[in-house]
Amino acid sequence: MGRIFGTSYLVTRVSRMHGGAQKVVYKIECSNGFSCVLYVWDLSMNYFEEEKANEDINEQSYGSDLFELNNKYLTQHGIQTPALYDLNKERDRYPFDYALVEYIDGRKAETFFQLSELAAQDKVFQQLGDMLTTMHTTERQIFGKANANEISTEQCHSLQMKNTKVQLAYASQHMEKIGSNQSKLLDKLYELESRIKPRKQYGFIHGELGPDHVLVNDKLEPFLIDIEGAAFFDIEHEHSFLEMRFGDFYRYLKNDKLDPDRLLFYQLHHHISLTSAGLKLQHRGFPDQQFAKGLTEYQSERALRFIEK
């Protein structure tokens, strides 16, 4: 802190913030009233360490390099995300990368679901909708990370197909109701995939944009966080996730020009992947076991509805 901000920034308190399953997040408070956030990318503290170690380069969504890349890209395109003050990748004193990032003194967007102040809700979610429109209409003909420059011979949805089959196999091993319906779910995946027509235009998406990944400051301005997975991709991947996570408030975010076949495919992909993710959090000692169990149960039920239709 002294090296980056100066000797008047004396640290008085460091507290672990409630974060996700992948990086460790701390709030740093100083004697002069300044606060910032410390991100630590320590793979040994990642609940998906095994998956991240074996991740395909086109699907990577973890690491300081991606945070730096996407922070710069979003900022350049006018999309609000906490400012990056400093990123240390030297690993001379610690075996991990870490960053000092702007502290947004505010609330997660999900708290606005319950507000009776309709004007505040409108302002927050309309701004978020505008932000997503800007992102999703920033297009190019290559899918992948912001710095990718090689055209792939694959369609981007085929990457998710591969991943979904892996996650379905995992869930089938640990949930009887998924295991007994594994072949039916796989058949439904292939059926939905077969309807998808080729595409060569991709928008920039967050990749996992739930209301817990949007911070709202005291001016009711939204900021995107957990941006490592952002990339050029089918925007239907994002919208199928947004509709699931934002519920009634998706009306502020919806896009009437989406491909319905892609939407259905990605919906089933999300339900299967999140079922598997919930199971892994249970098996790997995630602190909030109630959340992990609820995630598994809800997403597995949603997946099974696809084969009841």
Side-chain angles (χ1 to χ4, degrees):
M1 290 291 289
R3 180 174 60 83
I4 302 305
F5 298 111
T7 54
S8 63
Y9 289 78
L10 181 66
V11 175
T12 55
R13 188 165 185 258
V14 179
S15 52
R16 178 93 175 251
M17 297 179 72
H18 177 70
Q22 298 206 41
K23 64 177 176 284
V24 192
V25 183
Y26 302 90
K27 181 183 179 184
I28 297 178
E29 299 172 64
C30 297
S31 57
N32 61 3
F34 177 78
S35 295
C36 69
V37 174
L38 170 67
Y39 286 166
V40 174
W41 288 275
D42 184 349
L43 198 56
S44 69
M45 298 181 75
N46 187 316
Y47 286 94
F48 297 100
E49 178 181 0
E50 179 183 336
E51 286 76 15
K52 297 304 164 188
N54 299 313
E55 211 166 34
D56 183 282
I57 191 168
N58 292 308
E59 297 181 85
Q60 287 179 354
S61 58
Y62 175 80
S64 60
D65 288 338
L66 290 176
F67 177 81
E68 182 179 35
L69 172 70
N70 290 328
N71 182 280
K72 181 178 180 181
Y73 188 86
L74 290 170
T75 301
Q76 286 175 341
H77 287 81
I79 306 300
Q80 292 201 120
T81 188
L84 173 59
Y85 297 136
D86 182 64
L87 176 61
N88 191 305
K89 297 188 282 187
E90 297 174 0
R91 301 194 183 185
D92 53 346
R93 296 181 64 186
Y94 310 101
F96 48 75
D97 298 345
Y98 61 92
L100 296 175
V101 179
E102 179 185 9
Y103 174 69
I104 304 297
D105 189 8
R107 296 173 284 174
K108 292 181 178 179
E110 58 197 355
T111 64
F112 287 83
F113 290 173
Q114 313 301 330
L115 275 187
S116 57
E117 304 167 41
L118 298 182
Q121 284 181 341
D122 281 345
K123 185 171 183 179
V124 168
F125 292 114
Q126 283 174 2
Q127 285 185 92
L128 181 58
D130 292 342
M131 184 185 292
L132 291 175
T133 298
T134 299
M135 282 176 60
H136 293 167
T137 53
T138 303
E139 297 181 324
R140 71 177 191 196
Q141 294 185 336
I142 301 171
F143 70 84
K145 301 306 176 187
N147 60 354
N149 53 22
E150 292 185 13
I151 297 177
S152 174
T153 55
E154 286 188 289
Q155 289 284 303
C156 65
H157 70 266
S158 64
L159 296 175
Q160 298 300 341
M161 183 66 178
K162 291 176 188 175
N163 177 259
T164 310
K165 289 192 286 187
V166 171
Q167 304 314 322
L168 177 58
Y170 185 90
S172 296
Q173 291 175 13
H174 300 284
M175 288 191 83
E176 194 279 329
K177 63 182 177 181
I178 296 294
S180 61
N181 287 288
Q182 182 177 9
S183 60
K184 289 181 181 179
L185 287 165
L186 195 56
D187 287 344
K188 177 57 73 171
L189 270 171
Y190 279 121
E191 177 198 328
L192 296 176
E193 185 195 32
S194 70
R195 301 180 196 170
I196 297 176
K197 296 177 178 63
R199 170 188 280 171
K200 292 185 179 179
Q201 200 73 5
Y202 308 98
F204 197 69
I205 69 170
H206 177 280
E208 195 185 3
L209 191 57
D212 54 333
H213 291 155
V214 180
L215 289 179
V216 182
N217 67 10
D218 57 0
K219 297 178 183 177
L220 299 180
E221 298 170 329
F223 289 73
L224 302 187
I225 60 171
D226 290 341
I227 57 174
E228 289 91 323
F232 285 91
F233 212 77
D234 285 335
I235 64 171
E236 289 83 1
H237 182 281
E238 187 108 290
H239 276 277
S240 58
F241 195 78
L242 289 169
E243 186 174 9
M244 175 175 61
R245 294 299 314 280
F246 281 84
D248 290 342
F249 292 89
Y250 177 67
R251 66 185 185 273
Y252 291 95
L253 317 176
K254 67 185 300 183
N255 181 328
D256 295 325
K257 299 179 180 178
L258 300 173
D259 176 357
D261 293 325
R262 277 181 165 81
L263 272 175
L264 275 175
F265 171 79
Y266 286 125
Q267 282 171 2
L268 182 52
H269 151 72
H270 288 312
H271 295 319
I272 292 173
S273 296
L274 289 168
T275 298
S276 176
L279 286 166
K280 289 172 183 176
L281 290 176
Q282 290 180 63
H283 300 158
R284 297 171 186 179
F286 186 65
D288 192 345
Q289 285 289 296
Q290 185 176 355
F291 165 80
K293 290 174 183 175
L295 177 67
T296 303
E297 193 59 34
Y298 176 77
Q299 296 297 340
S300 61
E301 291 294 336
R302 292 292 297 271
L304 290 170
R305 286 183 200 173
F306 273 76
I307 57 175
E308 295 169 357
K309 296 175 181 178

